[in-house]
Amino acid sequence: MKTSRSKVFDETYRQYLKEISQIDFLAKADVLGVETGNGALRIPLYDKMYRFGSDGIVGIDGEELTPAVRVMICKYILTCPLELPEMSNALVTYREFKDAGPLISYFTTNTNKTLETTFSGNLALLKRRGEELGGKVLITDTYDLSLEFHAFPRVPVIVNFNDRDNLFSASCSVLYRSSAVYFLDMECLAMTGTLLTGKLIAARNHL
């Protein structure tokens, strides 16, 4: 039986499909940073590729899509501005976004704190799993490990991690470019963080 949250996502997805059907979504490809083919958009979401066409969304590898993934992809298309805005390189935490307030606790609990608990004392696993997901290791003197991912082409996500030592427990921060607000609302932006966290901890569950 579907949970009430899944039902809400399903209803939202159907509404979003209706809205997208009324626009020329293929014309958004350049601004979204995606490719087109056979009347569809090819949209990467982290390590997976999805096809968005007039019939909806399918995974290129044939995997079943979750309602949350469908909603995120639709919102990425719908929120897309008419022209590519100035893309700031300024990095901010989720709580620094103007409308993030109601979801800050949810985001922090399900990203930063979850990653700290999961990978404390196991930095090598975090690095390996991050690279498996397409993450790029950034050179830094500030953190034990800094990884750059792309939720969507215009929405990079930075994970900074310091492992525990004799004085401090592990600490983690998840950062976005401030320009992410041009492409996703606060709920979907939070979902990109929790989705990445889930992908990163999946490896530990199979050790």
Side-chain angles (χ1 to χ4, degrees), residues 152-169:
F152 291 106
R154 304 299 189 194
V155 186
V157 185
I158 309 296
V159 175
N160 292 325
F161 193 92
N162 277 328
D163 206 356
R164 69 190 185 199
D165 57 25
N166 293 332
L167 296 176
F168 301 101
S169 57

Side-chain angles (χ1 to χ4, degrees), residues 63-204:
E63 74 170 31
E64 184 177 354
L65 278 70
T66 66
V69 165
R70 288 192 176 99
V71 166
M72 280 189 281
I73 292 173
C74 285
K75 198 63 177 178
Y76 187 58
I77 297 170
L78 284 170
T79 309
C80 174
L82 294 176
E83 297 180 353
L84 187 64
E86 183 176 346
M87 301 297 287
S88 170
N89 288 321
L91 296 174
V92 297
T93 61
Y94 183 80
R95 69 170 54 248
E96 291 178 87
F97 287 109
K98 183 181 67 172
D99 299 321
L103 292 169
I104 290 174
S105 178
Y106 161 84
F107 182 87
T108 303
T109 299
N110 291 285
T111 56
N112 303 33
K113 291 183 179 179
T114 299
L115 291 172
E116 289 165 1
T117 301
T118 303
F119 292 105
S120 178
N122 209 338
L123 193 69
L125 175 61
L126 176 58
K127 180 177 183 292
R128 184 172 75 248
R129 185 54 176 158
E131 291 177 324
E132 290 172 356
L133 291 173
K136 175 185 177 182
V137 177
L138 303 178
I139 304 302
T140 174
D141 295 326
T142 307
Y143 303 97
D144 294 334
L145 179 63
S146 183
L147 293 162
E148 180 182 31
F149 302 90
H150 278 81
F152 291 106
R154 304 299 189 194
V155 186
V157 185
I158 309 296
V159 175
N160 292 325
F161 193 92
N162 277 328
D163 206 356
R164 69 190 185 199
D165 57 25
N166 293 332
L167 296 176
F168 301 101
S169 57
S171 63
C172 178
S173 60
V174 178
L175 304 175
Y176 294 88
R177 284 184 186 166
S178 58
S179 53
V181 294
Y182 294 118
F183 295 94
L184 291 172
D185 64 8
M186 285 299 101
E187 182 175 15
C188 284
L189 197 64
M191 288 159 59
T192 65
T194 56
L195 176 61
L196 176 59
T197 299
K199 287 176 175 290
L200 288 170
I201 68 176
R204 190 178 181 91

